[in-house]
Amino acid sequence: MAKVKAVTNKKPLNLLDATTANNLKLSIKKFPIVGIGASAGGFEAMELFFRNFPGGFGIAFVVIQHLHPTNKGMLPELLQRTTSMKVQQVTDGLLIEPENVYVIPPNKNMSVLNGVLHLFAPAQPRGLRLPIDIFFVSLAQDRKEGSIGIIFSGMGNDGNMGIKAIKENNGIVLVQDPATAKFNPMPSSATQAVHADAVAAAEELPDQLLKLLQHAQPVLKIETSEIFEQKDLDKIVILLRQQSGNDFSQYKKNTLMRRVERRKIVHQIDKLSNYVRFCQENPGELAILFKEMLIGVTNFFRDTAVWDKFKDTILPDLLNELPEGYTLRAWVPGCSTGEEAFSLAIIFKEVLQKNKKRRNLHLQIFATDIDADAIEIARRGFFASTITENVSKGRIQQFFLQEANGYRISPAIREMVVFATQSVIKDPPFTKLDILTCRNMLIYMEVELQKNIIALFNYSLNAGGIMLLGSAESLGTSTNGFGVLDEKLKFFQKILSPSFTHSRELIDFPSSFSASKRQAQTIIDTSTMSVNIQAAADQILLQQFAPSSVLVNDKGDIVYITGHTGKYLEPAAGKANFNIYAMAKDGLRQLLPGAFRQAMQSLAPVNLKDIAIGSKDTVIYADIIVQRIESPASIKGMILVVFTDITKKQFIAKKSSKNEQEPTLQVKELETRLNRSFEELRNTREEMQTSQEELKSTNEEFQSTNEELQSTNEELTTSKEEMQSLNEELQTVNTELQTRVADFVHANNDMKNLLNSTEIATLFLDKQLNIRRYTEEIIKIFKLRSTDIGRPFTDLVTDMQYANMETDALQVLKTLVPIENTITASNERWFTVRIMPYRTLDDHIDGVVFTFFNITLFKKLEIELKTVNEELKQKKAIIQASEKHFRRLFEAAKEGILLLDADTGKITNVNPFLVELLGYSKEVFLEKFIWEIGLFKDIVQNKEKFAELQQKELVEYNDLPLETIDNRTISVAFISNVYEVNNKKHIQCFIRENVKLNIEKKQDVQ
């Protein structure tokens, strides 16, 4: 099949825009629904498919896979990793929405109705379930031409019936290339069942699906398309007629154009005229298009109600009116692969068995179709095991023979049906019919052709004959000559002969066209061969002087002839047959079988004397030698028959010399023949008696063995079907588990790297305190190797000084309460050991976990910190003592002391002497800037003046006047110095009263 190029434009195709919806009167819910069928090995194919599907096209996918009934499906989680669309497992009554992937749950069958998914409990036993067929058929019925089916890798042939139903409704079918499938039986059987629209590798199918969907709307708009060109379609019909001999000119144009459009899409041809040219240049394309035109969708007992009516009413009423020994004639035009014809034969057998009169009635069915391949399949009478969906177990046992890969129709049913290739339009019909079933063939034809074919059927049926049409077909305006038995089920009965008008219409059927065939010219090699003189002389001697002879194989087929054997052998009438038994003349024909048996049993030649050959008027006499050849090796085992002529005079002389009193030559000849016959009969009887005894014994053994084998075969067949189903389910589960194992491996690697990156020594133990796992850091504490996994951890050599390690571990297992201890180890190391219970995901205790945190550095820092603290305590005590001493001096000083913040100039403290000297309260000074105190305006007039105190280590002013609270002015000496405490600068100001000066001032005041 030609490959479809990949779609390069990944933008949404806007398949269901508003204009299209209005023109086609489609519901907004009619978005594409793609059914995906897969079995064993299908997960890998689906992964490739969804990874390469871009999404954003408004498509919904429904995945049907053979799943183990009791296994919890992991498929949704696994597929979710491959696609951005939402993946979910189906629940009953779930509405399908675009851009979603729906997965069938285990142990369920699924159907769709009006875009809603419905789940059913499987009615069939494991091994006989066909969930893909069930869903695909329902999808085809629900979405009609909008149904899409994809078949991926798998065992068996589940899905064949479903894709046939999709094809019948003009849907799209895609199949994974069997060469790329992990298990190819399912894709292979799918490609044999229908002509798929695309067959490609799983990763290529998304592009091909989008390509087909992109062209789906133009196909749907054929009837209103402005670019539709009738003349180009007529040219294709002419080419098909020349190629196949079948005329499609009166088939429905819409159906015809759909098939042509699909082929155009496959070859990416834009114009119909270009496709006409392509067909002219590629005759093989016409063969494929012809196959596309044939919709061979059928199955056993299609439409159960129709066959129930046939069995219960129609056929019994018809048989009751027939005479004894009557043979009914039935015609099934458009029989496809024969299911319809065999169904009719089975119903007839069942009606006969049910009939109490048990009359000697027979049925001869003529089943025809224009598809030679379908007829060839029907003639074989072999069907896949999927027919159990439509054929009951009782019918399977009674009318079918079970074989390795399916069922073969029983000889009793097969003999009732004659299959032939025939066109209803151009070939002569079968006549004098009692039953005619033509279902779902007329719907593809134009009204005029339907009318002509109905008239043809009327002509073919006997008066009272039954005609059955398809559920979507009717008589239309051609009701003349038919009565309605059941309008709903489409049963009709011939009541009148066709009118003269109809007869004239039958004469106007199109002429027969035969496909042109090119005969290959046989080229004869006329090259000159070298002549061997001796070989030529030997050949002349053989032809002229040697007796006539024939070389045959063990079956009697003539291999080589020497001389003239026309007197003894002659070709038999009919089809050419070069077997000596068929060509031997009278007199010789009866003797050869016995002579051949004797020659094959011994090396001695068998001599037949005085044999009369021919009829009475042309009798000749001959001696015959029959000899088995032992050498050369090239002809070993063959038989040489040599003829020696005897003249009539010689024959008479022989007889006269033996006995002169013989009455006549004729009597002696008869006596000779009789004696020879007696001898042959005796030998034959002896051989037959021996063979009969051996055969009786062998037959008894075979009967016993056959019964055992039949019983064993039934058991093995049942087991095989169950095992095949189980194998597919296990393949699916195995694929899921492999993916899950890969996830666990990744998670395990991540966890290992995480644990190692923390550099925390961790030891995992089971309930028996045996080592389960450890991190690399633990090796620095315990003498561990990889071979120690599974050993009791108490056997290990450790640097830990932890005598109660085992006791604490057992206590944690018992109480489930974690224990944490600080333990020393060799080389002055310290560890915090934490023992916790090991909990599984389902909250079961399955051991303990030791974690060892190295706290050596913290311990060392702790010791150092203790030393530092001790030193600080000592220094603090000294400082506190110094501070206490300083405070005493500060408070007891007999001169004023003012303390300033060197950075800001704020007053931080004053001593009691200064407060008493000036008479102001302490609160007046504290937390104020020195230049804000009016008393010191002569000392520090502003911030710039204060900078002098900040920058100079010692500042001294004498005879500065200060005003006290009682308005007295005193003279003081001001000395300031800068000092630093705890990296912070302070200014200490000393104010000493100048007593002498103040006394003089007091006296002046007085």
Side-chain angles (χ1 to χ4, degrees), residues 222 228 230 233-234 236-237 240 248-262 289 293 444:
I222 288 170
F228 173 69
Q230 179 65 43
L233 189 61
D234 290 341
I236 293 175
V237 171
L240 280 173
F248 292 95
S249 61
Q250 297 189 64
Y251 273 56
K252 287 185 178 179
K253 298 300 182 292
N254 195 33
T255 301
L256 194 61
M257 196 60 188
R258 286 178 187 276
R259 302 299 183 269
V260 174
E261 282 292 333
R262 290 191 185 281
L289 181 59
M293 298 300 301
Y444 302 107

Side-chain angles (χ1 to χ4, degrees), residues 442 446-452 454-455 458 469 473-482 492 499 501-502 505:
L442 299 178
E446 296 289 357
V447 176
E448 188 63 26
L449 181 57
Q450 291 182 12
K451 182 179 177 182
N452 290 343
I454 292 294
N458 189 292
L469 298 181
E473 298 168 334
S474 64
L475 295 178
T477 59
S478 305
T479 57
N480 186 21
F482 285 102
F492 305 95
S499 64
T501 303
H502 288 161
E505 290 173 351

Side-chain angles (χ1 to χ4, degrees), residues 5 230 258 310 535 598 745 772 839 957 965:
K5 293 182 180 179
Q230 179 65 43
R258 286 178 187 276
F310 215 126
Q598 293 182 33
V745 169
R772 174 182 285 157
R839 294 181 183 272
Y957 298 102
I965 194 171

